[in-house]
Amino acid sequence: MRANLQTAVHHGETLTPRAYSLRTGASVGPGLAWLGALFLGPLALIALISLLSRGEYGTVGGAWTFENYRRLAGFGLLGFDSLYPLIIARSVLLGLTTAMLCLSAGLPLAFFIASCKGRYKNLALTLVVVPLWTNLLIRTYAWQMLLGPESSLTQVAALFGLAEADEGLYPGLFAVSLCMVCDFLPFAVLPIYASVEKLNWSLVEAAMDLGANRVSAFRHGIVPQIKPGLTAGFILVFLPAMGQFVIPDLLGGAKTMLLGNAIQQQFGAASDWPFGSAVAMVSLLVAMLALWLMARHTGDDELNIL
Amino acid sequence: MHLTAELKRKADPVATSAPTPAIEMAEISRRFGDVTALAQVSLSVRRGEFFSLLGPSGCGKTTLLRIIAGLDIPDEGILRIAGQDAAGLPAHKRPVNTVFQSYALFPHLNVRENLEFGLRMKKTPPAERARRVSEIMELVEISELSSRRPSQLSGGQMQRVALARAIVNQPQVLLLDEPLGALDLKLRKQLQLELHALQQRLGTTFIYVTHDQEEALVMSDRIAVMNAGRIEQLGAGCDLYERPRTRFIAQFLGSCNILEAAVQGRTGGRLEVRTKFGNLEMDLGPSARPLSPGDACTLAVRPEKVALRVDRNPHNANCFPARVAELIYTGSETQYHLEAAGGMLKAWVLNTRVGHQGLHAGEEIQVQLRSDALILLDD
C-alpha cells in the first residue's frame, strides 16, 4: 500500500487535505468571525476616528490630523497642559499599585490554599471566587456603607486614631486601594495558585542543601518556578485595573480623572469622539507596552535575579 | 591535580592522627504517623569511606540520608557530622551536599550557573568561584555543556551536572540518593566505576543510597543493609555476601538456597544437621551461637557454591542425588533447578568450557553441598 503524503493523520483519524481544512475552518471560523466583526472592525474604526477632528455639534469629520494625540501629550492650544499626561500616569499608577497589592496578598493566600487538604482546598478556592458572583457596583456601594461615617469599621479605626469617627474612611486613597484589591484579588490568586500547586519542592531542598537560607531558597527555589503564575496574575489585574474608574469615582470622591472616565466623558458629555478615540488608543498602547515589558522581563530570567 | 589535593586536604585536615568519624549517629528514630521509618539506628561512617546504604524501597535508607542532610529531623537520637553535633544545625549550614535522585537542577539556570550556586550562597569571591567551577567541570567532563540549560541535557549529563554541583562545594560528606537510578544499565555500570574512581581521587566521604545490591558491591568500602527501618547487617561487601547473618541478607544480597535444619550433634568446629536433603556436615564458622542437639536452625547455600557431579560413586560427604528439572542459560553461566528427594535446589554453574555443559533437563546427577559452603543464619 502506498502512503498518501497528502493525507493528514489527526488524533488517529485519517483525513484528506480537503476534510482537514474544512474542519479547521469549522472550528476556528466562528471565533474569527466574531472577533473580526465585533472587535477588530470597531478597533480599526476607533483608530481611524482618532485621526479626525470634532466638527460642530459633535460630528466627526475634517482632515486627517494628529492633533488629538498632540493634545493628549500635553501640547494644547494654550501651551503645555499636564492634564492628560497626568491622567495617563495616574491610571498606570493605579493599575500598578493594585497589581502589586494583589500579588503580595495573593501569594501567601495561594500557598495557604495549596497546603489545604482535599475538600478544604475546593472550599477555599470557592471562597476566593465568591465575591465575583456579586455585581461590581453593588460591592462598591457596600464598601461605601462599610467605610462611611459612624460605621463600625470607622469607629474601630477612630479608636486607634486612624480616622475621625464622623468623617468616615472614604473618600480617599485607602478606600480605593482596599476596594480595588478586594475586586481583583481572585485574578491574582488563581494563576499563582495554579503554579504553586505544581511546585517541585526538591528544588527548594536542593537550594537549602547548597547553602541557601530560607529567603534565598524562596528566591531561587520557588520564585523562578511560580514566575509564570506571578506574571499572569499581574497582567490579569493590571490591565483591567488600569481602565477601572467606577471604584475611584465612588470611593475616591470623583475628584480625579482617569483613563476610563476620560473616555466616557469624551464620548458622552463632551461629544468629542475623535479625542475620545485617541484616549482609547493611547490606553491600549500603554497596556501593550506594559505587556511587552513583562514578556521581555520574564524571558530574561538569567542569574541577574541573584 | 591542584584541585584534588585541595579537596583532599579539606576532607581530611589531620590525615595521620586518629580522625573523628565523618558521621556518627546514635539511636536515630523517625516516625511518619503510624509508620516507623527508622528505629533506633546507630551508625558510624569513617572519613574518606565509600559507604552504601542498601535496602528495598521503604526500608528507611532515604530518610536516613535526608536526616544527615538536614532535610528531615529525627524524632530521637544524636547525629554528629565531623564530630560536630548536628541538632539544630539547619540544612544550609551543614558541611554536606546531596546529589538528588531527581537531580533537582535549577531549570532557569544554565550548567555553569547551577554549579556556581553553592559558592555564591557561601559568598566565595568571583575569581575563586570561576576557577573552582571550571576545574570541577573538567573533572567530570562537562566543560562543553557550560551554557546549556538542564532541559537540554541527557539523563547521564544531568547526573554529572548534579554530581559536580555538589562536589564543587568541597563537602565533608557527599550524600548520593540513588543517583544512577534513572539511567540505563550500560551507562549505570560505566558511571559506577567513574564514581568510585572519583571518590578515590577526592578522598571525600561518600554515603550512597541504593536498592541495587550489585551497585553497592561494586563501589562500596562498607555497606549497611537496611530492612524495615533497621540496619540488618553492616560490613564489607564480601563479608555480607559470604557470611550473611540473616535470611533477609542472604536473599536480598544475591540469590540463596535456604534450608531448614535440626542440630544432630556438634564436634569442635563442626556441626551435624538434619535437613530435607539428609544429614549434612558443616563448618561452624565464627558464629558463637550456642547450639545443642535438637535445636532448629536455618542454613543458606549460595547457588554458585553448589557442586554438581556426574560420577555415580560419591563417597564424599554431603552428597545426594538429584534430577535437572529446568535449566536457564544466561550466557556466562547456566542456572539449574534441581529436584532432589527432599525438595528443590538452585545451582549456578559458570560456563567455562566452550559449548554447552553437557547437562540436560531430566538428567540424574549428584549434588554436593561442601561443608564450608553452608552458612548458619541467626534467624
Side-chain angles (χ1 to χ4, degrees):
Chain A
M1 196 178 110
R2 271 177 60 202
N4 183 358
L5 292 178
Q6 294 291 304
T7 311
V9 177
H10 183 69
H11 293 298
E13 233 183 314
T14 321
L15 294 177
T16 62
R18 192 180 144 70
Y20 189 79
S21 43
L22 261 174
R23 276 205 188 188
T24 311
S27 55
V28 183
L32 269 183
W34 182 277
L35 267 180
L38 301 171
F39 175 68
L40 289 176
L43 190 66
L45 269 178
I46 287 181
L48 284 177
I49 293 172
S50 75
L51 294 171
L52 297 169
S53 52
R54 176 182 186 268
E56 271 177 277
Y57 315 113
T59 53
V60 173
W64 300 113
T65 172
F66 280 105
E67 185 51 38
N68 293 319
Y69 290 97
R70 269 174 53 87
R71 200 169 133 208
L72 251 177
F75 303 104
L77 296 170
L78 312 163
F80 185 76
D81 180 359
S82 62
L83 175 66
Y84 287 102
L86 271 181
I87 288 177
I88 295 170
R90 208 179 285 130
S91 298
V92 170
L93 199 67
L94 181 71
L96 276 178
T97 322
T98 310
M100 292 325 282
L101 285 175
C102 282
L103 287 191
S104 13
L107 190 64
L109 188 55
F111 274 92
F112 171 77
I113 296 172
S115 73
C116 285
K117 305 248 181 301
R119 264 167 0 110
Y120 294 102
K121 189 176 280 182
N122 291 332
L123 180 71
L125 282 171
T126 312
L127 286 177
V128 166
V129 185
V130 154
L132 296 182
W133 297 355
T134 317
N135 183 284
L136 177 94
L137 276 175
I138 296 175
R139 272 178 287 159
T140 313
Y141 280 117
W143 276 115
Q144 279 195 351
M145 295 189 194
L146 280 172
L147 300 172
E150 308 300 337
S151 77
S152 38
L153 253 176
T154 311
Q155 278 167 356
V156 172
L159 267 180
F160 293 97
L162 296 170
E164 302 289 331
D166 53 345
E167 278 190 5
L169 290 164
Y170 99 98
L173 193 62
F174 168 75
V176 174
S177 311
L178 185 68
C179 188
M180 292 286 275
V181 170
C182 281
D183 278 344
F184 289 108
L185 194 58
F187 302 106
V189 172
L190 295 179
I192 301 175
Y193 163 77
S195 56
V196 169
E197 184 77 321
K198 50 176 199 241
L199 256 182
N200 175 4
W201 287 95
S202 72
L203 291 182
V204 182
E205 294 191 337
M208 309 227 304
D209 185 76
L210 291 166
N213 57 27
R214 280 163 178 276
V215 178
S216 310
F218 178 77
R219 220 168 112 190
H220 305 299
I222 291 181
V223 171
Q225 292 191 70
I226 60 170
K227 216 164 174 182
L230 289 173
T231 311
F234 180 88
I235 290 170
L236 286 178
V237 174
F238 174 76
L239 293 185
M242 197 185 77
Q244 175 59 258
F245 64 93
V246 173
I247 296 169
D249 255 13
L250 292 179
L251 291 170
K255 283 177 296 197
T256 50
M257 186 84 88
L258 291 158
L259 279 174
N261 41 11
I263 296 170
Q264 188 202 30
Q265 189 192 48
Q266 294 306 319
F267 278 93
S271 288
D272 191 346
W273 283 31
F275 187 61
S277 299
V279 180
M281 289 313 290
V282 166
S283 63
L284 185 69
L285 287 177
V286 169
M288 283 171 71
L289 181 74
L291 285 184
W292 178 70
L293 285 175
M294 286 298 285
R296 220 181 56 154
H297 179 64
T298 42
D300 171 37
D301 49 4
E302 303 288 342
L303 255 199
N304 56 23
I305 57 156
L306 277 169
Chain B
M1 194 182 188
H2 172 69
L3 167 88
T4 328
E6 192 181 323
L7 284 173
K8 220 166 192 155
R9 205 170 53 241
K10 178 125 188 184
D12 200 359
V14 205
T16 45
S17 69
T20 47
I23 298 287
E24 274 178 290
M25 48 175 74
E27 313 217 310
I28 293 272
S29 293
R30 180 74 173 111
R31 280 173 295 274
F32 297 106
D34 293 338
V35 183
T36 303
L38 293 172
Q40 300 193 306
V41 173
S42 299
L43 183 66
S44 174
V45 179
R46 300 173 194 137
R47 285 196 181 216
E49 188 173 29
F50 199 125
F51 191 93
S52 285
L53 294 167
L54 173 67
S57 58
C59 71
K61 55 193 192 300
T62 295
T63 306
L64 197 61
L65 200 76
R66 290 171 57 82
I67 282 174
I68 300 173
L71 299 171
D72 199 355
I73 310 261
D75 297 322
E76 289 155 34
I78 300 166
L79 168 67
R80 280 196 202 89
I81 302 172
Q84 192 192 1
D85 190 356
L89 204 63
H92 68 274
K93 289 193 178 144
R94 296 191 182 195
V96 302
N97 285 108
T98 308
V99 178
F100 290 87
Q101 188 172 15
S102 61
Y103 312 132
L105 300 175
F106 299 113
H108 60 294
L109 304 181
N110 68 26
V111 168
R112 174 169 272 277
E113 291 161 341
N114 262 286
L115 261 60
E116 281 179 340
F117 189 91
L119 298 176
R120 272 178 193 270
M121 290 298 122
K122 284 189 200 76
K123 309 244 183 322
T124 310
E128 192 196 335
R129 195 166 71 206
R131 178 180 62 80
R132 274 163 67 175
V133 167
S134 299
E135 278 170 355
I136 290 286
M137 289 210 293
E138 224 161 273
L139 187 68
V140 301
E141 294 163 19
I142 51 169
S143 300
E144 72 281 10
L145 305 176
S146 176
S147 54
R148 295 231 201 133
R149 293 288 176 107
S151 56
Q152 298 166 310
L153 301 176
S154 72
Q157 289 169 333
M158 284 200 271
Q159 206 286 321
R160 281 167 196 270
V161 174
L163 180 68
R165 185 180 68 171
I167 58 177
V168 75
N169 301 292
Q170 305 178 344
Q172 297 269 352
V173 181
L174 185 72
L175 308 172
L176 302 106
D177 186 7
E178 307 213 20
L180 307 181
L183 306 177
D184 63 73
L185 185 64
K186 200 164 180 187
L187 189 56
R188 207 155 71 212
K189 293 209 158 173
Q190 182 199 333
L191 285 171
Q192 282 170 12
L193 299 179
E194 283 186 29
L195 261 180
H196 186 250
L198 183 73
Q199 192 270 340
Q200 297 275 303
R201 197 162 164 189
L202 299 176
T204 308
T205 312
F206 276 33
I207 300 184
Y208 191 98
V209 160
T210 181
H211 64 264
D212 181 338
Q213 41 110 3
E214 196 190 324
E215 197 165 284
L217 288 172
V218 167
M219 294 187 288
S220 320
D221 294 320
R222 288 194 303 157
I223 302 169
V225 185
M226 295 186 65
N227 183 28
R230 292 168 201 282
I231 292 180
E232 190 114 351
Q233 191 173 349
L234 193 159
C238 64
D239 288 346
L240 296 178
Y241 190 81
E242 299 292 344
R243 301 236 70 91
R245 274 212 298 268
T246 64
R247 197 184 284 246
F248 172 79
I249 303 281
Q251 289 180 318
F252 186 73
L253 218 63
S255 188
C256 235
N257 293 296
I258 301 287
L259 304 179
E260 302 300 336
V263 177
Q264 296 289 92
R266 183 175 179 172
T267 44
R270 301 208 127 215
L271 200 65
E272 200 183 331
V273 292
R274 197 182 64 234
T275 69
K276 57 185 178 180
F277 299 123
N279 281 8
L280 301 174
E281 265 185 17
M282 64 175 293
D283 295 345
L284 202 43
S287 170
R289 244 176 94 196
L291 286 169
S292 39
D295 283 354
C297 59
T298 313
L299 308 181
V301 194
R302 296 284 178 198
E304 73 275 14
K305 294 195 170 67
V306 174
L308 303 185
R309 302 176 175 281
V310 197
D311 50 279
R312 310 246 163 194
N313 188 16
H315 284 294
N316 300 318
N318 295 359
C319 270
F320 53 91
R323 197 178 60 86
V324 177
E326 197 185 338
L327 56 90
I328 300 161
Y329 176 77
T330 67
S332 61
E333 64 191 16
T334 304
Q335 303 183 350
Y336 294 100
H337 287 237
L338 307 173
E339 199 178 350
M344 299 295 291
L345 191 70
K346 285 180 285 187
W348 296 353
V349 179
L350 203 57
N351 297 328
T352 49
R353 279 190 280 161
V354 178
H356 64 95
Q357 280 280 307
L359 288 183
H360 306 287
E363 203 164 329
E364 299 283 340
I365 43 139
Q366 291 289 318
V367 177
Q368 185 186 14
L369 302 177
R370 289 203 326 267
S371 62
D372 59 352
L374 288 164
I375 308 157
L376 182 65
L377 300 177
D378 283 352
D379 58 350

